[in-house]
Amino acid sequence: MSRGTILSTKELDEEVRRELGELGFVVEIQPFISIEFTEPGVLREQLNDIAKPGVLVFTSANAVEAVKPVASLLTDKQIFCISGRTRAAAEKVFGKARIAATADYGGMLAAQIIAAGCRQVLFFCSNIRRDELPELLRNEGIRLQEIVAYRTLATPVALNKNYNAVMFFSPSAADSFFSKNQPADNCVFFAIGNTTAEEIRKHSANTVISAEAPTQEEMVNAVKTHLK
C-alpha cells in the first residue's frame, strides 16, 4: 500500500528510487532546472589567458563534469571540493591523490582552504553561485579567480497535484519550483543542505528537513526518519 507520493525536483539514482519505492512511496520526477556546460573551446581560451594557481575549487559535480574535456590543462593541482557527488566526480576526473580536502558545505570548504594556507585558487562555478565561499576567501586576502564552467537555467512547471513531500537538491531548483507552485500546508520539504533549506524557507512556512550530508542517500535517510 502506498504511503504517499514524493516529488523529486531532479533525476534520482536508480538505487535511491528503488529504496523509496520499497519504503512504500510513489516517486515522481520533475526537474526544475537544466544545466548547460560551457563549451570546451571557451574553457581552453579562458585557461590559457590566466596564470593558473596550484589549487582548484569545485562546489558542484556539474562543474567537475564541465571541465573534464580540459582536465589535461589542470595537471598537478590540488583539489578542494564539496563532499558526496562532487568529490566522487573529482576523483574520477583527477584521481584520489589530488583531493586535498573536502567539506559538506561552501563555508566549511572555505575554512579548509584558509587552514591549508592557500594564497591563490581557481574556482569553477555556475553563473548562479553562492557568495559565501568567495567572500570568506577574499576576506582572508586569498586571490580568487573564477571561471563559469556551466549555466544553471530555470525550467519551472506548474503542477496540478498534491504531494506528501518534495525533494530539493539546489537553491536554484527551489526558486524555480516556487515560481509556479505553492503546495498544501501539510507537504514536507526535504533539502540537500542548509543553503537549499534557506531558499525554501523564503517561499514557504512548511516543514523543511535538511539532509545530514549532501547526498541522495542522506535524503532517503531523512525521508525514513521523518515520514515513517
Side-chain angles (χ1 to χ4, degrees), residues 147-168:
I147 289 182
V148 174
Y150 68 98
R151 294 178 59 80
T152 302
L153 308 174
T155 57
V157 177
L159 302 172
N160 297 313
K161 184 174 181 177
N162 289 326
Y163 294 93
N164 298 87
V166 182
M167 302 169 71
F168 294 98

Side-chain angles (χ1 to χ4, degrees), residues 57-59 80-83 101-116 132-134 136-137 193-195 211-214:
V57 179
F58 296 94
T59 57
F80 286 76
C81 63
I82 295 296
S83 56
T102 63
D104 285 348
Y105 305 109
M108 297 166 63
L109 186 63
Q112 294 272 23
I113 295 168
I114 293 166
E132 184 180 25
L133 182 144
L136 287 170
L137 297 184
N194 293 333
T195 54
E212 292 189 3

Side-chain angles (χ1 to χ4, degrees), residues 10-48:
K10 71 169 288 182
E11 292 293 340
L12 296 174
D13 294 340
E14 188 59 38
E15 183 177 343
V16 170
R17 292 192 67 169
R18 183 170 57 252
E19 187 170 0
L20 287 170
E22 290 172 353
L23 289 172
F25 294 102
V26 175
V27 180
E28 296 185 5
I29 309 293
Q30 177 58 63
F32 278 82
I33 58 172
S34 64
I35 300 301
E36 183 180 276
F37 290 167
T38 300
E39 290 289 337
V42 174
L43 290 177
R44 286 192 186 92
E45 289 180 5
Q46 291 178 297
L47 289 170
N48 287 332

Side-chain angles (χ1 to χ4, degrees), residues 7-214:
L7 174 70
S8 174
T9 57
K10 71 169 288 182
E11 292 293 340
L12 296 174
D13 294 340
E14 188 59 38
E15 183 177 343
V16 170
R17 292 192 67 169
R18 183 170 57 252
E19 187 170 0
L20 287 170
E22 290 172 353
L23 289 172
F25 294 102
V26 175
V27 180
E28 296 185 5
I29 309 293
Q30 177 58 63
F32 278 82
I33 58 172
S34 64
I35 300 301
E36 183 180 276
F37 290 167
T38 300
E39 290 289 337
V42 174
L43 290 177
R44 286 192 186 92
E45 289 180 5
Q46 291 178 297
L47 289 170
N48 287 332
D49 285 342
I50 64 173
K52 294 179 282 296
V55 175
L56 310 179
V57 179
F58 296 94
T59 57
S60 165
N62 289 319
V64 178
E65 291 300 323
V67 304
K68 185 176 180 179
V70 297
S72 61
L73 300 177
L74 300 168
T75 56
D76 302 322
K77 302 191 185 299
Q78 289 186 311
I79 309 292
F80 286 76
C81 63
I82 295 296
S83 56
R85 294 172 73 88
T86 305
R87 175 172 185 151
E91 289 182 352
K92 187 174 181 180
V93 174
F94 298 105
K96 290 184 179 180
R98 301 264 301 275
I99 309 298
T102 63
D104 285 348
Y105 305 109
M108 297 166 63
L109 186 63
Q112 294 272 23
I113 295 168
I114 293 166
C118 304
R119 303 314 305 162
Q120 298 183 55
V121 303
L122 178 57
F123 179 29
F124 292 95
C125 58
S126 167
N127 63 311
I128 302 173
R129 58 128 177 92
R130 302 279 297 182
D131 294 331
E132 184 180 25
L133 182 144
E135 287 182 354
L136 287 170
L137 297 184
R138 289 186 175 117
N139 287 342
E140 291 294 322
I142 297 172
R143 185 186 178 198
L144 177 73
Q145 298 180 90
E146 297 184 38
I147 289 182
V148 174
Y150 68 98
R151 294 178 59 80
T152 302
L153 308 174
T155 57
V157 177
L159 302 172
N160 297 313
K161 184 174 181 177
N162 289 326
Y163 294 93
N164 298 87
V166 182
M167 302 169 71
F168 294 98
F169 295 85
S170 71
S172 299
D175 186 59
S176 177
F177 173 87
F178 285 107
S179 71
K180 296 280 189 180
N181 301 280
Q182 189 57 57
D185 292 343
N186 61 349
C187 181
V188 179
F189 301 130
F190 291 90
I192 192 70
N194 293 333
T195 54
T196 299
E198 289 171 9
E199 185 63 34
I200 295 168
R201 291 189 180 102
K202 292 178 183 178
H203 301 279
S204 175
N206 287 24
T207 299
V208 181
I209 306 298
S210 293
E212 292 189 3

